[in-house]
Amino acid sequence: MATADIENLIKSQVLEVARNVEQHLDSELDKLENMDADDIDRLRGDRLKQLKEQAKKRQEWLVMGHGEYTEIHEEKEFFEISKKSKDIVCHFYKDGSPRCKIVDHHLKLLCKKHVETRFVRLNVEKAPFLTDRLRIRVIPTMALIKDSKTKDFIVGFTDLGNCDDFSTEMLEWRLGTAGVINYSGDLLNPPEKKKKPKTLLGAPKRSIRGRDSDSDIDDEEDL
């Protein structure tokens, strides 16, 4: 097919989509304009019911420990939490690791914003069985759990720009791609990396090694 034909086909498809959207909007506007008092009261009632359900669910999440970034002290607790919370972000860390502290910094912020998700941390030295079962070999590693199943991992900072000074928004986007938080941004495009004069470690920016990178091993810690 010639290039001109392809361009015309794309244009016609775009116009068709635009027409469909316009028709849908016109239909919705007509419904709003033709609403009587009973329709408006019913709409308000439905909205109020929805808000009450959201408030109730939020309260249930808070009771289960959502909204806080908490420490798991033993492996048994990890499985208990997995049964109660649908979406979990678990940071597997090691004492004394500067990059684990960077992850802590960002997760403390995100847990307040995304109450729908449980944010926890677990010391790998206190969880040898779970660490081996999940094949965690590098710290920091974040296990992303949905419906009691480990759906994804964020290993090191490779997925976050491969640097120490990634933004909280970048981590939020990455969690959104895994579906463990309710992300309202563009999942197809990560947020632009904001330039900072120095990293959270207080040193010049360095690239670090992820699962598949060839950078120096000293830049991240193997277990």
Side-chain angles (χ1 to χ4, degrees):
M1 183 180 294
T3 302
D5 293 335
I6 295 176
E7 291 179 352
N8 290 332
L9 178 60
I10 293 174
K11 288 180 180 179
S12 65
Q13 290 176 339
V14 170
L15 289 173
E16 181 64 25
V17 170
R19 280 195 292 267
N20 290 336
V21 171
E22 185 177 3
Q23 290 175 358
H24 176 73
L25 290 175
D26 289 342
S27 176
E28 293 299 316
L29 288 173
D30 288 340
K31 289 180 181 179
L32 290 174
E33 291 176 354
N34 295 323
M35 277 186 172
D36 56 22
D38 290 338
D39 291 330
I40 295 174
D41 288 341
R42 184 164 54 252
L43 186 62
R44 287 174 177 171
D46 291 341
R47 179 55 178 165
L48 182 60
K49 181 180 179 181
Q50 183 183 27
L51 292 174
K52 287 182 178 179
E53 290 176 349
Q54 290 176 350
K56 180 181 178 181
K57 190 62 179 178
R58 179 182 175 85
Q59 187 60 37
E60 291 175 354
W61 284 330
L62 294 176
V63 170
M64 291 191 299
H66 291 227
E68 299 179 0
Y69 181 45
T70 53
E71 178 88 18
I72 295 178
H73 298 286
E74 57 182 359
E75 294 174 321
K76 180 181 179 181
E77 189 178 355
F78 172 86
F79 294 106
E80 291 174 349
I81 289 174
S82 298
K83 294 177 182 177
K84 296 178 181 178
S85 297
K86 180 179 179 181
D87 297 300
I88 302 170
V89 176
C90 183
H91 172 207
F92 286 84
Y93 77 97
K94 194 174 184 179
D95 286 331
S97 168
R99 291 191 171 87
C100 287
K101 292 180 181 179
I102 291 176
V103 173
D104 288 338
H105 167 78
H106 293 295
L107 294 185
K108 285 177 183 177
L109 297 175
L110 289 174
C111 72
K112 303 293 184 183
K113 183 176 181 179
H114 293 281
V115 183
E116 72 277 6
T117 303
R118 184 78 189 269
F119 289 82
V120 296
R121 67 199 297 258
L122 178 60
N123 191 325
V124 293
E125 295 177 337
K126 297 181 180 179
F129 169 76
L130 190 57
T131 299
D132 183 67
R133 177 176 175 178
L134 296 179
R135 299 179 181 178
I136 295 174
R137 299 291 180 264
V138 173
I139 56 98
T141 288
M142 285 171 271
L144 312 183
I145 300 148
K146 193 173 188 67
D147 297 322
S148 300
K149 296 181 181 180
T150 306
K151 182 177 181 181
D152 199 357
F153 292 93
I154 302 177
V155 181
F157 297 165
T158 304
D159 294 349
L160 305 171
N162 206 36
C163 59
D164 292 335
D165 61 347
F166 63 89
S167 66
T168 303
E169 290 77 18
M170 177 64 81
L171 177 55
E172 182 182 25
W173 169 81
R174 179 62 180 83
L175 296 176
T177 63
V180 292
I181 62 171
N182 295 334
Y183 186 70
S184 59
D186 183 0
L187 289 173
L188 297 179
N189 297 294
E192 291 186 6
K193 182 174 173 294
K194 298 179 181 179
K195 294 182 179 180
K196 301 179 181 179
K198 62 180 181 178
T199 72
L200 290 174
L201 296 181
K205 183 181 71 174
R206 299 174 62 193
S207 294
I208 65 172
R209 188 182 67 83
R211 187 191 297 268
D212 301 317
S213 178
D214 295 326
S215 302
D216 293 340
I217 192 171
D218 291 339
D219 284 338
E220 275 181 1
E221 296 185 47
D222 287 325
L223 298 180

